[in-house]
Amino acid sequence: MNYALTITREQMADMSAEVFPGQIVVVDRPTDVKKALACLEAAGLVGFDTETRPNFSKKDHHRVCLIQLSTDRICYLFRLNRLGGVPALLKDFLENGQVTKVGLSLLDDFHALRKLAPLEPDGFIDLQKFVTQFGIQEASLRKIYAILFGSKISKRAQLSNWEADTLTAPMQQYAALDAWACLRIYQHLTAHP
């Protein structure tokens, strides 16, 4: 299948905004981690992303506080700042090569996560590298998604305070959509090479 190599902001301007169609589950208690990971392991293929509270000055340094892992139907939002870091079971999942995890710009995520726990990620596919074999020359999730599906991913909630006491509905939707979009891109490209 031939895909557009690039896309402009002007081409994306009139596209409708995508919405995550599944269930969103916030995991902020250690007792909920095992159940969430069992669902994700059963899926065998998941989308992955992280969020960090934005830095607005050079002296600000925030740590990853959210890991998003999504199947076709459900996205789990692991609030690391509420879980006391990366729980051992979640670390094991991220190091499990038997489960394929699809994300974007993974080296940045891994670097940030290693500030919380020693981590040897396995089973990951980085879309920035993967999409090049299909002639796609864009590196941003938003642009890759627009090329493939003709709809856009809103970045309105990107600069939210991910360490807030409560994740608002728009924050949850944004976080889930980013992980699910990675999964959907990979599934589409492998089904329609």
Side-chain angles (χ1 to χ4, degrees), residues 119-136:
L119 183 67
E120 294 303 324
D122 197 6
F124 281 86
I125 295 172
D126 194 326
L127 286 177
Q128 284 183 329
K129 297 173 185 170
F130 184 76
V131 300
T132 59
Q133 64 188 297
F134 299 91
I136 298 170

Side-chain angles (χ1 to χ4, degrees), residues 25-40:
V25 176
V26 176
V27 180
D28 56 5
R29 296 179 308 183
T31 54
D32 297 332
V33 172
K34 187 175 183 177
K35 182 179 176 184
L37 292 174
C39 174
L40 294 163

Side-chain angles (χ1 to χ4, degrees), residues 44 91-101 120-124:
K91 179 182 180 295
D92 291 346
F93 178 84
L94 297 174
E95 294 177 335
N96 181 353
Q98 301 302 307
V99 178
T100 302
K101 297 160 284 283
E120 294 303 324
D122 197 6
F124 281 86

Side-chain angles (χ1 to χ4, degrees), residues 104 131 136 138-148 185:
L104 187 91
V131 300
I136 298 170
E138 296 293 352
S140 81
L141 181 65
R142 190 172 188 224
K143 288 187 173 186
I144 295 167
Y145 197 88
I147 288 169
L148 295 179
I185 289 167

Side-chain angles (χ1 to χ4, degrees), residues 24-88:
I24 300 171
V25 176
V26 176
V27 180
D28 56 5
R29 296 179 308 183
T31 54
D32 297 332
V33 172
K34 187 175 183 177
K35 182 179 176 184
L37 292 174
C39 174
L40 294 163
E41 285 176 2
L45 173 66
V46 299
F48 166 87
D49 194 28
T50 67
E51 299 299 337
T52 303
R53 182 178 174 180
N55 297 323
F56 294 110
S57 77
K58 290 183 180 181
K59 64 180 179 178
D60 289 342
H61 298 285
H62 301 289
R63 294 179 180 233
V64 174
C65 55
L66 189 69
I67 292 179
Q68 305 101 273
L69 292 164
S70 182
T71 70
D72 287 328
R73 297 185 178 140
I74 188 165
C75 184
Y76 293 97
L77 307 180
F78 293 86
R79 299 203 67 196
L80 303 182
N81 57 320
R82 302 289 177 164
L83 294 169
V86 181

